[in-house]
Amino acid sequence: MPLSPPHAILEPRPSTLDRDTFVARYGDIFEHSPWVADAAWQQGLTTQHDHPDGLASLMGQMLQQASSDEQIRVIRAHPDLAGKAALAGELTGDSTQEQAGAGLDQCSPEELARFEHLNTTYKHKFDFPFVIAVRGLDRYAILEAFAERLDNDQATERRTAIEQVMRIARLRLQARASG
């Protein structure tokens, strides 16, 4: 799916929406975390937030200002890559498209076993799932990043995961503006 140009507009325009409508429309941008959209609406929306990058910046700011516990809950809301939820068809629509776009639905049994091992090892070390914006990556690049990030310390990996969550949100908003 192509990304939206910088001048693209989200429809309906976020700046024109009441709180309930805004949260209903944009509350799923951060996986199972509508509170981020609610916090953004409460911060105040202007016409700059009618653009994907403007809204992504505001919503990302809300996540960055959240407590460490809230940030961890957002990270934990993300599914394992090529994990049991994906195999069972239990992912959100966005996650399903993103993982399929990276070829994670086409993994060999050996690749699935590697993902399962890395998911388990990563969660044991960091106590949250590995999160990466998969758009534009293939399963080989994802597996490589997975293995590399296992060497991070807890604080570095939490920051990296939050950066990736914010990248995913930006890509989702850009996709909505182009679709």
Side-chain angles (χ1 to χ4, degrees), residues 43-152:
Q43 186 73 20
L45 300 173
T46 67
T47 56
Q48 88 179 50
H49 303 117
D50 292 341
H51 301 274
D53 289 344
L55 185 56
S57 293
L58 177 62
M59 292 175 85
Q61 181 184 354
M62 298 301 96
L63 180 59
Q64 288 178 315
Q65 291 174 358
S67 71
S68 177
D69 287 344
E70 288 172 314
Q71 290 178 351
I72 294 294
R73 280 194 291 277
V74 170
I75 296 169
R76 286 182 180 151
H78 284 262
D80 289 343
L81 293 176
K84 290 179 177 84
L87 297 174
E90 298 171 350
L91 299 179
T92 64
D94 285 326
S95 288
T96 299
Q97 284 183 315
E98 292 157 0
Q99 289 199 27
L104 299 184
D105 60 341
Q106 300 169 12
C107 288
S108 68
E110 295 80 18
E111 290 166 335
L112 284 173
R114 185 159 183 228
F115 270 107
E116 186 174 330
H117 170 74
L118 288 168
N119 280 324
T120 300
T121 303
Y122 184 95
K123 277 206 250 184
H124 179 74
K125 180 173 181 178
F126 297 111
D127 199 29
F128 52 77
F130 177 77
V131 177
I132 189 168
V134 298
R135 187 167 305 186
L137 301 177
D138 62 23
R139 62 188 179 267
Y140 310 108
I142 295 165
L143 284 166
E144 184 177 320
F146 216 141
E148 288 173 7
R149 283 175 49 190
L150 275 167
D151 291 334
N152 285 344

Side-chain angles (χ1 to χ4, degrees), residues 16-30:
T16 66
L17 301 177
D18 63 61
R19 182 181 189 170
D20 290 342
T21 305
F22 177 78
V23 173
R25 176 72 174 110
Y26 297 103
D28 63 343
I29 294 297
F30 285 82

